[in-house]
């Protein structure tokens, strides 16, 4: 006998929503790591979709989700020394099909970053995204919100079922690419990012560790870490743009480091607009914190004033430029900041936010 599915949480109850996500994670229904990828993907899209007025999105597309899922798996399919066969397995039986697709594209394109792959081999990248989109449509999306044998849609609604064929997907009959977020869910995903992301990373790493019979400690950096080496090509250009001064304290740079202004631990955004150069002191003390109003103001100014210069730096390094995404992510992350929350300032370390509204106003329009 299968227990009845839990009733959907009330739209205004973020904690009940989070509990339901945890229940979903504890079920052993998936043999692959897709559920983590889909949930993390939805969180990223909810954050970057926050509007100028601070409203989270009510819908995302399967194409958008496929792009994020490709970005998530891309570094993970890089050769891993301790993995049998070189690439970590992400399915209890054989390899997860999405991993096979991403690994094949990455190998073909010579192991470049995903941004470079999208820039330099747009047709190949588009084909990869389309194939991954189909896999998401066919497999995890219609099955994710299943408890035991019952479906209980509490995250999103979709217009197709698990028996859809690729021909129907390609033709667009019985298929529409909308993933409609249920009432309140966009806001929950934005709000709960700081809680859910570390948990999803942890569960994902544990499953990969179990499948590959490897200690989880060796996997974290490979699966979710910042690729410091890959960031090197943008250093010189960003340094010049900052007149060789630290972005945060304005001191002359001695041992410059590339820093993710919007913390990597909160959202995986590598676009040039999210990268600044800082000295080790500021970078080390900022860690995973959001930056205080003066820094945010400066960042917003740079996004406006140095838009073309940033694109030039990106082009020279064959890097990704996504000003709209960067601004969306900033709005999404700062939307969750309440009065009294702690943000980081180069001058004073961690400080309390006195007026969260004023902070968000910096990001409007
Ligand atoms: Zn500094």
């Amino acid at each position: 006998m299968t227990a009845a599915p839990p009733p959907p949480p009330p739209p205004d109850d973020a904690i009940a929503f989070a509990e339901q996500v945890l229940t979903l994670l504890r079920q052993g229904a998936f043999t692959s790591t897709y559920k983590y990828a889909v949930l993390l993907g939805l969180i990223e899209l909810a954050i970057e979709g926050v509007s100028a007025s601070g409203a989270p999105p009510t819908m995302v597309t399967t194409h958008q989700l496929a792009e994020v899922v490709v970005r998530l798996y891309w570094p993970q399919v890089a050769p891993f020394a301790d993995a049998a066969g070189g690439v970590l397995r992400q399915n209890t039986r054989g390899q997860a099909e999405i991993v096979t697709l991403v690994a094949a594209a990455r190998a073909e394109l010579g192991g470049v970053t995903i941004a470079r792959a999208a820039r330099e081999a747009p047709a190949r990248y588009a084909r990869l995204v389309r194939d991954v989109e189909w896999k998401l449509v066919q497999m995890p999306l219609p099955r994710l919100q299943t408890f035991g044998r019952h479906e209980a849609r509490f995250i999103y609604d979709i217009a197709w079922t698990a028996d859809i064929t690729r021909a129907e997907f390609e033709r667009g009959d019985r298929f529409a690419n909308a993933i409609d977020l249920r009432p309140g869910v966009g806001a929950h995903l934005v709000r709960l990012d700081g809680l859910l992301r570390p948990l999803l990373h942890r569960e994902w790493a544990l499953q990969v560790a179990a499948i590959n019979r490897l200690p989880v400690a060796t996997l974290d950096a490979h699966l979710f870490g910042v690729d410091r080496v890959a960031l090197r090509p943008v250093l010189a250009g960003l340094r010049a743009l900052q007149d060789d001064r630290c972005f945060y304290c304005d001191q002359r740079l001695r041992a410059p480091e590339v820093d993710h202004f919007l913390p990597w631990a909160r959202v995986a955004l590598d676009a040039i607009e999210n990268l600044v150069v800082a000295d080790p002191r500021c970078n080390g003390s900022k860690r995973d914190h959001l930056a205080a109003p003066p820094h945010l103001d400066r960042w917003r100014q740079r996004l406006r004033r140095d838009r073309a210069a940033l694109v030039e730096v990106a082009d020279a390094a064959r890097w990704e430029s996504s000003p709209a995404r960067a601004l969306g992510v900033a709005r999404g992350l700062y939307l969750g900041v309440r009065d009294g929350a702690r943000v980081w300032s180069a001058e004073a370390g961690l400080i309390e936010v006195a007026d969260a509204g004023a902070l968000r106003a910096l990001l409007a329009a």
Side-chain angles (χ1 to χ4, degrees):
M1 209 191 105
T2 327
D12 58 348
D13 192 341
I15 299 302
F17 176 81
E19 281 170 350
Q20 200 114 321
V21 172
L22 296 195
T23 308
L24 202 61
L25 291 179
R26 286 196 204 102
Q27 303 199 114
F30 272 63
T31 57
S32 74
T33 53
Y34 293 165
K35 68 178 167 188
Y36 310 116
V38 168
L39 288 168
L40 276 169
L42 292 176
I43 292 175
E44 300 236 336
L45 291 173
I47 292 174
E48 73 182 61
V50 170
S51 73
S53 63
T58 55
M59 188 272 276
V60 301
T61 68
T62 51
H63 173 82
Q64 288 178 304
L65 184 65
E67 286 202 299
V68 182
V69 167
V70 165
R71 276 207 306 269
L72 284 168
Y73 279 114
W74 191 266
Q76 300 191 354
V77 303
F80 189 75
D82 296 333
V87 174
L88 290 166
R89 276 175 59 209
Q90 304 230 20
N91 194 321
T92 51
R93 296 183 299 250
Q95 180 60 286
E97 287 179 78
I98 289 178
V99 172
T100 303
L101 290 167
V102 176
R106 189 180 160 124
E108 248 174 72
L109 298 174
V112 298
T113 62
I114 181 65
R116 230 178 109 178
R119 284 175 74 105
E120 293 176 6
R124 182 67 184 89
Y125 173 77
R127 179 153 62 86
L128 171 64
V129 170
R130 186 68 179 163
D131 287 343
V132 169
E133 181 182 358
W134 159 240
K135 284 293 150 203
L136 294 170
V137 164
Q138 180 193 33
M139 224 304 272
L141 283 170
R143 292 188 174 89
L144 183 76
Q145 306 171 96
T146 306
F147 296 84
R149 290 205 315 255
H150 301 277
E151 194 185 26
R153 295 180 170 185
F154 72 103
I155 306 173
Y156 55 80
D157 285 306
I158 51 175
W160 71 93
T161 47
D163 60 349
I164 188 168
T165 65
R166 176 127 197 189
E168 289 166 333
F169 165 70
E170 296 295 349
R171 283 198 308 264
D173 40 304
R174 284 191 67 224
F175 175 73
N177 72 355
I179 302 170
D180 290 307
L181 300 178
R182 295 185 66 93
V185 166
H188 295 334
L189 293 175
V190 172
R191 176 102 191 269
L192 294 169
D193 171 51
L195 287 176
L196 289 179
R197 181 177 302 264
L199 186 82
L200 288 165
H201 283 182
R202 176 79 188 157
E203 298 276 326
W204 189 338
L206 282 170
Q207 189 175 354
V208 173
I211 292 172
N212 294 275
R213 298 170 201 279
L214 290 168
V216 70
T218 61
L219 293 173
D220 261 349
H222 181 79
L223 295 174
F224 308 113
V226 177
D227 190 344
R228 296 272 164 216
V229 178
L231 290 171
R232 300 288 308 175
V234 298
L235 178 64
L238 287 174
R239 242 182 121 157
L241 198 61
Q242 291 174 209
D243 282 334
D244 213 28
R245 292 177 177 278
C246 173
F247 185 81
Y248 299 108
C249 69
D250 216 36
Q251 299 289 308
R252 175 95 33 216
L253 283 163
R254 278 207 207 88
E257 296 173 354
V258 177
D259 174 55
H260 290 88
F261 180 78
L262 303 162
W264 182 260
R266 295 294 307 278
V267 76
L269 178 61
D270 248 345
I272 194 77
E273 288 78 11
N274 190 34
L275 300 177
V276 299
V277 181
D279 48 41
R281 196 185 62 84
C282 285
N283 199 11
S285 113
K286 177 171 172 280
R287 299 197 356 244
D288 297 340
H289 299 289
L290 289 176
H295 303 310
L296 180 64
D297 191 26
R298 183 173 192 186
W299 181 80
R300 182 69 185 94
Q301 296 298 335
R302 186 187 80 159
L303 195 60
R304 215 175 256 133
R305 195 193 49 221
D306 295 334
R307 199 169 183 130
L310 284 167
V311 171
E312 258 176 54
V313 174
D315 283 345
R318 293 190 285 187
W319 203 259
E320 175 194 4
S321 163
S322 307
R325 231 185 116 212
L327 190 54
V329 168
R331 284 172 179 151
L333 293 184
Y334 279 93
L335 185 68
V337 174
R338 305 273 189 276
D339 286 351
R342 277 140 73 87
V343 290
W344 177 86
S345 127
E347 241 176 32
L350 287 182
I351 54 167
E352 288 193 359
V353 173
D355 185 353
L359 191 59
R360 280 193 290 277
L362 292 172
L363 295 167

